Amino acid sequence: MNRKLIKYTLRPLWVVFVLGVIGIPSVFLMVKNDAFGWFGSLPSLEALERPDPDLSSELMSADGVSLGKYFRKNRTPVTYEQLSPELVNTLLVTEDVRFKDHSGIDLKGLARAIIGKLTFSFQGGGSTLTMQLAENLFKTNTAEHGSLYRSRTLGQIITKLKEWIIAVQLEKSYTKEEILAMYLNTVEFGSNSYGIKVAAKTFFNKLPSQLNYSESAVLVGAINAPTRWSPVLNPENAHRKRTEVLWNLHKYGLIDKVRYDTLNRDSIQLNYRVENQNEGLATYFRTVAKNYLVRWARQNGYDLFDDGLKIYTTIDSRLQQYAEEAVAEHMDTLQHIFNEHWQGENPWIDNENKEIPEFLDDAIKRTEAYKNLRSRFGDQKDSVDYYLNKKKRMTVFSWGGEIDTVFSSYDSLNYYKRFLQAGFMSMDPRTGYIKAWVGGINHQYFKFDHVQQSRRQPGSTFKPIVYTAAIDNGYSPCFPVVDAPVSFSLPGQDPPTWVPQNSNGRFTGEVMTIRQAMAQSVNSITAFMMNRIGPSTVVDYAKRLGIESRLDAVPSLCLGAGGDVSIYEMVGAYSTFVNKGTYIKPYFISRIEDKNGNVIQQFVPDEQEAINEETAYLMLHMLKGVVEMGTGRALDYELKVDNEIGAKTGTTQNASDGWFIGVTKDLVSGAWVGGDDRSIRFRQWVLGQGGRTALPIWEGYMQRVYADETLGYEKGYFEKPTKPLRTVIDCERYEENTNPTDTVDYDVVDEDDFM
């Protein structure tokens, strides 16, 4: 009887022993190797040793300031040393108090969780921080599943087994400090913040190393349910959760009762701001850079939005700030003048200053709202018109701040079409580094970039290119020409001839040098030089100076009416004069590093010899004349003291576009101002000229630059050529050796001679 009892008693014990020694390891082995396809795959050993969460790529300024990030999930990693002790303590007492004592699996916590499940008295989960990290990194709940997952209960058990296996491997591969930092880097905190660094910045505008117990309790409390415990969306819930986390700190002896009571009484002090592409510095530049970087990443096998790249730009955050301030300050004032000028009338007019009928009807057909409605309703015009005129609440831009209003799509279009736009770029002429880029007046409401994306007629800012071609072909800045009509023959056109008019509509008959003529922007004399050298020659020189936009080799090109160009191109062209004739294509990325700090690519300038050194210096001499005696005389006197400045204003025929490009020994910068549509402009040419609309932006920018001594930009003089000049620039000496009447030729030139 005793033997039978012993036999029957030992049999189940042997079964338990065999299952424990053989069965459980076998199950783990089967799960690990996905036996028979029942369990689904696990990450490889290499993936476990080098987990790769999606990481934001960061755009850095040349002076070390973060300009913004590109991400699908906004995440920037930190190391354990960058975490405050308060944050570490708060996390451990909340999520895994025995974290430092286990090897990935907490048997005590596991037993508590199982008993809680069986007795319906939940006392906390059995997942350790390492197991949670395994789920965060390798998505064990959503990864590839085997056939046994058809049973929900079996699927949950298998998922836990996978997390145990991964957790043990992680514990073998990393230190406790590394695991804890990795965990905080992978969790979501809400408000599009992934990882503790972004969360600390988003909710408190702090670094993780600066977080105190109260702030840490808010963030750690939100980990398991970021929306439910959000201090922004659900502040009462967040306060209750913080109380619970603070009590754990007291419970485990990290704060005393007095400290707990004090912290618990305090309200949650947020400094909340969600990162987005419409806020911060260089918003237009960041969008332009993104388009370039997406192509670069695709060509080089990277993902801009996941790979944690660090992109170092040539932008200087201080110069960028000054550029944005200068644009905003002037455009606010100019918009007020523009509104007063029109006094509520519609500013879209034709060449005869008459309002363009059905302007808004045509313009709305180019909007996304119209295209979406046409896609939805097809040819049902009544339905399309109904929704285009349907009022809805919206927030609109104004220079006095955002305005909440009720507008239809038509109302919105009518409102926004009345705004003047601007583009501004500044670069170092010797390196090609773009230092500041302002693509418009407000990126949130006006996405179109007016530095590189926009191309407009340059007006008289193109004249220096005409004179560059002339001087490089032997003409002196002292070459004399009479201010008189010049006629171009245009065979087959109506009318068959073209006579460029001066801006004031008069010809003086005076003899002036081409330097004086460029300074005063006399159209007839630029036309005369175009007659001499030919449109094709001018186009050739424009290409040498980096103008990549299409230019037509026609006589009107001498007045900037032969093609549309960008501020980006024009500033690059003018920089050639300061750089002794070498053109450097403006660029904005200096190097790119991977997430580990390894340099992936170092960018070098694309440069070419465009003109000789003497021609470049003579063009600086020509441009200085604009400031000394021409259309740039209005520049602030203090800017000109002990400082050589070259410049050129530009205004298109009907004042749709105002330009100003200024040149100093260290910076070349350009501004454009106008409406998004060329028909939106001042009635009078004089009000829309570049000296009024664009020059003040450059002036305001340079005033700020020179006032900031930390930047290192000082007033001074242009560097002279290494060799003595062969060309006479002392015009009195030039006249002694030249008979002006022998140099002036007013024959009509056929356009075909220069095509």
Side-chain angles (χ1 to χ4, degrees):
M1 186 70 180
N2 289 336
R3 288 183 180 179
K4 285 187 176 181
L5 179 62
I6 293 171
K7 180 179 178 181
Y8 286 115
T9 302
L10 289 177
R11 185 175 294 173
L13 291 178
W14 272 107
V15 171
V16 170
F17 174 77
V18 170
L19 288 174
V21 174
I22 300 174
I24 293 177
S26 297
V27 169
F28 274 98
L29 190 62
M30 292 172 70
V31 171
K32 189 174 182 180
N33 293 286
D34 187 23
F36 310 110
W38 290 347
F39 306 98
S41 63
L42 278 171
S44 66
L45 184 62
E46 180 180 299
L48 287 168
E49 292 179 349
R50 298 183 62 184
D52 191 21
D54 51 323
L55 300 175
S56 306
S57 292
E58 191 166 19
L59 199 67
M60 302 295 297
S61 73
D63 55 321
V65 173
S66 176
L67 297 175
K69 290 185 284 188
Y70 305 115
F71 51 79
R72 292 187 182 91
K73 294 180 177 179
N74 191 4
R75 190 196 315 273
T76 303
V78 294
T79 63
Y80 181 83
E81 290 71 27
Q82 294 172 301
L83 306 173
S84 73
E86 289 89 344
L87 173 62
V88 172
N89 291 337
T90 304
L91 177 65
L92 293 181
V93 300
T94 306
E95 293 294 326
D96 191 351
V97 72
R98 286 179 293 279
F99 172 71
K100 295 180 180 179
D101 300 322
H102 63 65
S103 298
I105 302 173
D106 181 9
L107 296 178
K108 185 176 179 180
L110 181 61
R112 181 193 61 197
I114 292 173
I115 293 171
K117 283 262 189 183
L118 295 175
T119 61
F120 303 100
S121 58
F122 182 72
Q123 299 178 10
S127 291
T128 63
L129 272 183
T130 318
M131 291 172 64
Q132 293 179 52
L133 174 61
E135 200 285 320
N136 293 341
L137 285 175
F138 303 107
K139 306 296 184 290
T140 51
N141 280 315
T142 57
E144 179 187 345
H145 291 161
S147 57
L148 292 181
Y149 273 82
R150 293 168 188 165
S151 166
R152 182 179 177 184
T153 301
L154 275 178
Q156 291 176 339
I157 294 172
I158 294 169
T159 294
K160 283 300 173 187
L161 292 175
K162 287 182 177 181
E163 289 175 3
W164 292 348
I165 294 169
I166 296 171
V168 171
Q169 184 61 50
L170 288 172
E171 290 275 352
K172 290 180 179 178
S173 302
Y174 298 97
T175 66
K176 287 289 186 180
E177 289 77 13
E178 289 172 330
I179 290 172
L180 192 148
M182 288 168 66
Y183 174 80
L184 283 173
N185 285 331
T186 58
V187 291
E188 178 185 357
F189 293 90
S191 295
N192 199 27
S193 56
Y194 295 81
I196 190 62
K197 185 172 183 178
V198 176
K201 177 74 172 176
T202 299
F203 291 99
F204 299 108
N205 195 27
K206 286 187 173 184
L207 295 171
S209 59
Q210 300 170 321
L211 293 173
N212 57 36
Y213 273 131
S214 179
E215 295 157 346
S216 299
V218 171
L219 294 179
V220 170
I223 286 175
N224 293 318
T227 301
R228 185 192 308 166
W229 308 122
S230 168
V232 175
L233 301 176
N234 295 294
E236 292 183 3
N237 289 353
H239 196 282
R240 288 199 302 271
K241 189 65 175 179
R242 187 188 68 166
T243 298
E244 178 185 322
V245 175
L246 290 173
W247 178 254
N248 283 336
L249 287 167
H250 170 59
K251 174 183 175 182
Y252 289 103
L254 293 166
I255 58 174
D256 58 27
K257 186 63 164 59
V258 174
R259 181 88 185 278
Y260 164 77
D261 290 336
T262 301
L263 291 174
N264 197 35
R265 277 195 305 268
D266 292 341
S267 60
I268 298 174
Q269 300 295 320
L270 297 177
N271 189 349
Y272 179 73
R273 186 179 72 84
V274 178
E275 287 188 78
N276 66 68
Q277 297 299 330
N278 295 316
E279 295 181 354
L281 280 176
T283 49
Y284 287 92
F285 170 76
R286 278 147 48 188
T287 299
V288 172
K290 181 190 75 173
N291 295 334
Y292 170 82
L293 290 166
V294 166
R295 292 193 300 272
W296 177 91
R298 188 184 303 119
Q299 293 167 1
N300 291 275
Y302 291 93
D303 186 333
L304 177 65
F305 305 101
D306 273 355
D307 285 348
L309 305 177
K310 186 157 282 192
I311 303 111
Y312 290 87
T313 74
T314 62
I315 296 291
D316 187 298
S317 69
R318 299 159 296 180
L319 294 178
Q320 180 68 30
Q321 181 69 45
Y322 296 148
E324 292 184 12
E325 289 174 1
V327 169
E329 180 180 74
H330 175 62
M331 293 306 293
D332 184 2
T333 301
L334 187 65
Q335 188 65 50
H336 178 75
I337 295 171
F338 189 71
N339 293 343
E340 288 292 317
H341 173 76
W342 281 103
Q343 295 182 340
E345 295 181 54
N346 293 330
W348 34 87
I349 53 177
D350 59 22
N351 289 334
E352 296 178 356
N353 284 352
K354 295 179 180 179
E355 182 181 340
I356 300 173
E358 300 180 351
F359 173 83
L360 290 179
D361 290 335
D362 292 334
I364 205 162
K365 292 176 182 177
R366 300 191 295 270
T367 65
E368 288 300 316
Y370 177 84
K371 293 174 183 176
N372 291 337
L373 289 171
R374 279 299 305 270
S375 175
R376 179 180 173 188
F377 295 108
D379 294 330
Q380 300 176 43
K381 186 176 183 300
D382 289 345
S383 297
V384 173
D385 289 344
Y386 170 79
Y387 283 103
L388 289 176
N389 287 283
K390 185 179 180 180
K391 306 282 188 180
K392 49 187 176 291
R393 293 187 180 278
M394 63 175 65
T395 301
V396 298
F397 167 81
S398 84
W399 282 111
E402 293 182 329
I403 300 173
D404 292 324
T405 187
V406 178
F407 271 175
S408 69
S409 296
Y410 260 109
D411 296 332
S412 176
L413 183 68
N414 183 27
Y415 177 77
Y416 281 125
K417 281 295 182 182
R418 299 171 187 272
F419 280 91
L420 293 175
Q421 298 294 331
F424 179 86
M425 189 183 106
S426 182
M427 68 175 280
D428 182 328
R430 292 184 180 83
T431 62
Y433 289 174
I434 297 173
K435 310 303 289 185
W437 182 305
V438 185
I441 59 175
N442 186 285
H443 187 263
Q444 181 171 346
Y445 293 96
F446 305 96
K447 301 297 187 188
F448 191 71
D449 171 63
H450 291 92
V451 170
Q452 190 177 45
Q453 187 177 4
S454 174
R455 286 173 166 78
R456 300 290 282 259
Q457 286 189 4
S460 293
T461 55
F462 195 82
K463 288 178 179 177
I465 296 178
V466 178
Y467 287 112
T468 297
I471 287 175
D472 207 48
N473 281 278
Y475 289 88
S476 164
C478 298
F479 181 74
V481 183
V482 176
D483 176 15
V486 176
S487 178
F488 291 89
S489 176
L490 304 174
Q493 297 189 30
D494 185 20
T497 60
W498 175 60
V499 179
Q501 300 297 306
N502 287 329
S503 60
N504 59 12
R506 300 192 305 272
F507 300 100
T508 65
E510 297 178 4
V511 176
M512 60 180 69
T513 67
I514 61 173
R515 183 173 188 260
Q516 292 171 322
M518 193 180 89
Q520 297 171 30
S521 209
V522 180
N523 291 343
S524 63
I525 292 177
T526 313
F528 174 83
M529 297 311 298
M530 176 68 91
N531 232 340
R532 280 293 184 95
I533 59 179
S536 295
T537 301
V538 173
V539 170
D540 175 60
Y541 275 86
K543 298 302 181 185
R544 291 194 206 179
L545 294 170
I547 306 298
E548 296 180 345
S549 297
R550 176 181 172 178
L551 299 174
D552 296 325
V554 294
S556 61
L557 184 62
C558 69
L559 306 185
D564 294 345
V565 298
S566 66
I567 274 284
Y568 173 90
E569 291 172 301
M570 293 299 286
V571 171
Y574 276 57
S575 293
T576 307
F577 306 139
V578 184
N579 200 34
K580 296 187 173 183
T582 299
Y583 167 76
I584 300 182
K585 186 173 184 177
Y587 70 112
F588 47 76
I589 305 293
S590 58
R591 74 179 188 277
I592 299 177
E593 296 178 355
D594 66 16
K595 64 183 179 182
N596 299 313
N598 301 310
V599 176
I600 303 170
Q601 184 166 341
Q602 191 87 37
F603 292 81
V604 296
D606 179 7
E607 57 184 90
Q608 64 181 26
E609 196 70 31
I611 53 178
N612 65 57
E613 185 180 13
E614 179 167 316
T615 297
Y617 185 76
L618 292 175
M619 284 311 303
L620 291 176
H621 178 63
M622 295 277 286
L623 291 168
K624 283 162 52 182
V626 176
V627 177
E628 295 168 359
M629 57 183 171
T631 56
R633 284 176 299 176
L635 278 175
D636 176 52
Y637 174 76
E638 286 300 319
L639 283 177
K640 296 185 281 187
V641 174
D642 298 323
N643 197 27
E644 285 189 323
I645 299 174
K648 189 68 191 79
T649 57
T651 314
T652 50
Q653 187 174 8
N654 59 9
S656 293
D657 306 275
W659 296 71
F660 184 84
I661 300 177
V663 176
T664 67
K665 67 182 181 68
D666 297 315
L667 290 171
V668 177
S669 312
W672 166 89
V673 173
D676 267 336
D677 291 80
R678 298 175 202 241
S679 58
I680 298 171
R681 54 184 173 84
F682 287 96
R683 290 187 187 92
Q684 287 82 40
W685 184 89
V686 67
L687 295 177
Q689 61 183 314
R692 290 175 180 262
T693 63
L695 180 151
I697 294 176
W698 187 92
E699 183 178 67
Y701 170 71
M702 291 306 299
Q703 286 170 337
R704 289 170 168 83
V705 170
Y706 285 137
D708 187 345
E709 295 181 357
T710 65
L711 290 171
Y713 291 105
E714 298 178 347
K715 296 179 179 180
Y717 301 91
F718 295 118
E719 188 177 349
K720 289 182 170 53
T722 54
K723 297 179 180 179
L725 292 177
R726 296 171 299 170
T727 305
V728 176
I729 61 174
D730 181 343
C731 293
E732 291 184 3
R733 286 179 51 209
Y734 181 87
E735 290 175 2
E736 291 174 0
N737 297 284
T738 307
N739 181 356
T741 59
D742 293 337
T743 64
V744 182
D745 181 0
Y746 298 104
D747 290 342
V748 174
V749 177
D750 192 310
E751 178 188 355
D752 291 340
D753 292 341
F754 302 102
M755 297 300 284

